[in-house]
Amino acid sequence: MIGRWLESRMKRVQRTSPLAALRTPPNAGVLSCRVLDPVNEPVSHAEFTVTDAMGRKVVGGGTDPFGTFVATVPAGEYRLAVSAEGYTPYRASVTVAEDTLASLGDVTLQVAAPPELPAPGDWEIEPAHSSIAFTARHIGLARIHGRFNSFAGAVRIGEDMQQSAMHVVIDAASIDTNVKMRDDHLRSADFLDVARFPTLEFYSDRFTHRGGSRWAVTGALSLHGVTRTVTLDTEYLGLGNGMEGETRAACRATTELHRDDFTVSWQTMLARGIAVVGPASGSTSTCRSCRSPEPRCPGTEARGLGTMADVSDVRHLLVLPDRDAAEEAAEALGERFALAEEPRIVRDALAGEDDAEDAQWLVVLRDEEHRLDPAELDEFAAEWDGWREEP
């Protein structure tokens, strides 16, 4: 009788056990918890990581829409880490026994203090510590990864962060996918057409806080002669110090571009209608900015931002009324003054659209050896209805 009573009791326990409907492997148990915010709302898509006593990752993933996660693990001692955007990470130790449920119950995440924002003023993007990369689908299967090796930019941080502005100029010819033949094709008239459109530019004066360390930076991207509104999903990574004690700020930004929006419409179809190049590409930028002790480009007070990096050796800048004048003047400069380096052409950050009446284009000249005569450059600029400025 006692034996039958024990057997009946065991069956009732099994039917009411939390693991009754879950078959666990031998020598394994179940770990679970529910993640809540400070007002007891579930935190969906929080990330959790379970590591063993040696620090090795055993399992990881995200919480469900109700803030819950359940994981089957071998019996043993574990460390659990839970993190979510805008919250302070949670860590705990837990022991999981064989064929049992180890529940941590409700875990409440505390709101994290936002990272310190950069101080108001001019910040220069450092190409040596930054990158502009992209990914595109190739032949319907593979993803091609590339980057632009030459770019420059500046950020002007406002007293109110949401009143900040930035300007980035990218050398289109510096595109690099690590395959020369493909890179040459991308530079051709089929794609970027760098002979006609030597630069890509992004200008923004709309910084919107999305919460925590997330920001939306919305601005105008000029590519292939077309300007479109683009929003960068930006994660601010905080402040740090460089090798010489200088203050640096870092961020990571991503967006998706559709090349048809910029009239980059070349396409070749393979058999079965598969496109050689996909219509969309993802772009990721990781940048570090260093506080500029003074404006690095001439006219930054009037234009709002500098336009070129590494301009400490720039000695002259010609301001011309339109793009055609800038391109013709740049070519004539090289012939008249036997320049060692080809001049750079950049649209003024606040000049508006290319065909605006007040549009101005800048021809940047580097003159490390001070060989160019300012008076001759003044005369040259006047011939093109422009003028010369000095940093």
Side-chain angles (χ1 to χ4, degrees), residues 5-336:
W5 178 81
L6 289 175
E7 182 180 358
S8 175
R9 182 175 184 276
M10 180 64 69
K11 289 180 179 179
R12 288 199 304 272
V13 170
Q14 290 177 345
R15 285 197 300 269
T16 59
S17 168
L19 299 183
L22 182 65
R23 178 177 297 178
T24 57
N27 302 317
V30 175
L31 173 63
S32 73
C33 81
R34 185 172 66 148
V35 182
L36 304 176
D37 65 14
V39 294
N40 292 324
E41 290 295 325
V43 179
S44 61
H45 307 300
E47 296 292 328
F48 71 88
T49 303
V50 179
T51 56
D52 62 16
M54 301 296 292
R56 295 170 297 192
K57 180 178 177 180
V58 177
V59 65
T63 58
D64 64 23
F66 301 97
T68 303
F69 80 82
V70 178
T72 302
V73 295
E77 301 285 337
Y78 295 99
R79 290 281 293 171
L80 170 68
V82 181
S83 62
E85 178 67 33
Y87 297 93
T88 301
Y90 172 87
R91 293 179 176 82
S93 298
V94 61
T95 300
V96 179
E98 182 179 352
D99 199 30
T100 62
L101 171 65
S103 174
L104 295 175
D106 291 343
V107 170
T108 301
L109 299 183
Q110 300 301 319
V111 176
E116 180 184 359
L117 296 175
D122 294 331
W123 293 70
E124 180 185 357
I125 296 176
E126 298 182 298
H129 299 101
S130 305
S131 64
I132 298 178
F134 60 88
T135 303
R137 188 171 294 277
H138 181 58
I139 316 182
L141 297 173
R143 290 190 178 276
I144 300 301
H145 300 274
R147 63 182 184 179
F148 289 95
N149 292 325
S150 179
F151 55 90
V155 182
R156 171 156 290 179
I157 302 298
E159 294 292 339
D160 178 352
M161 186 68 181
Q162 298 194 110
Q163 301 301 317
S164 301
M166 71 178 299
H167 185 200
V168 177
V169 180
I170 304 171
D171 181 2
S174 70
I175 192 169
D176 182 1
T177 65
N178 205 33
V179 176
K180 185 179 183 303
M181 181 180 296
R182 180 167 59 218
D183 294 343
D184 289 341
H185 190 197
L186 292 173
R187 296 185 187 105
S188 73
D190 286 341
F191 287 97
L192 295 180
D193 197 0
V194 300
R196 295 179 58 206
F197 310 107
T199 61
L200 293 74
E201 293 188 54
F202 179 75
Y203 177 78
S204 171
D205 58 4
R206 291 178 57 193
F207 285 48
T208 305
H209 191 208
R210 285 181 167 171
S213 59
R214 311 297 300 194
W215 291 78
V217 179
T218 302
L221 174 65
S222 297
L223 188 163
H224 199 249
V226 178
T227 300
R228 300 290 188 193
T229 299
V230 170
T231 297
L232 305 181
D233 181 12
T234 305
E235 179 185 7
Y236 174 59
L237 303 177
L239 299 174
N241 293 320
M243 296 293 290
E244 299 180 1
E246 71 278 12
T247 302
R248 298 172 183 268
C251 69
R252 181 184 299 110
T254 60
T255 192
E256 182 175 284
L257 303 178
H258 293 264
R259 57 194 185 90
D260 285 342
D261 291 344
F262 297 90
T263 67
V264 182
S265 303
W266 179 89
Q267 189 56 276
T268 292
M269 307 298 289
L270 299 178
R272 297 173 295 170
I274 298 176
V276 171
V277 182
S281 64
S283 175
T284 301
S285 301
T286 302
C287 79
R288 293 183 186 177
S289 299
C290 182
R291 181 71 181 273
S292 298
E294 59 185 16
R296 300 297 302 277
C297 285
T300 53
E301 293 303 323
R303 297 186 177 90
L305 290 172
T307 54
M308 302 292 292
D310 300 324
V311 295
S312 56
D313 58 341
V314 173
R315 290 293 174 266
H316 308 284
L317 181 139
L318 305 186
V319 183
L320 298 169
D322 55 58
R323 182 185 186 122
D324 291 338
E327 292 179 345
E328 294 175 10
E331 182 177 354
L333 276 168
E335 298 175 356
R336 183 179 301 187

